[in-house]
Amino acid sequence: AILGLGRTQERLAFDKDGKTVIAKKMMPLCLTFDHRLIDGAAAARFVNAIKEYLENPLLLLMDA
């Protein structure tokens, strides 16, 4: 599998309450993998885990 990371850019997004629009830094992630070897659900869980660690780096210390 290959994980591609894009450039961080400020984009408009909804806050956690779902009503307020704020500017957030966002970075696109792209995962390329062979579907014959890796199940799509497992790949999606991997990308979601990477996303969580990028959003909350302290989780890396808690998992150790």
Side-chain angles (χ1 to χ4, degrees), residues 12 16 18 20 22-23 30 32-34 37 39 41-42 46-47 52 55 58:
L12 295 178
K16 291 185 180 185
T20 309
I22 59 171
C30 180
T32 303
F33 60 95
D34 188 345
L37 301 175
D39 182 40
F46 172 76
V47 170
E52 286 294 320
E55 289 177 347
L58 290 176

Side-chain angles (χ1 to χ4, degrees), residues 10-38:
E10 268 196 18
R11 303 239 175 159
L12 295 178
F14 286 104
D15 198 7
K16 291 185 180 185
D17 64 5
K19 298 177 183 176
T20 309
V21 177
I22 59 171
K24 292 180 79 173
K25 290 186 179 184
M26 295 189 179
M27 179 176 61
L29 298 175
C30 180
L31 183 67
T32 303
F33 60 95
D34 188 345
H35 286 277
R36 296 172 293 180
L37 301 175
I38 300 172

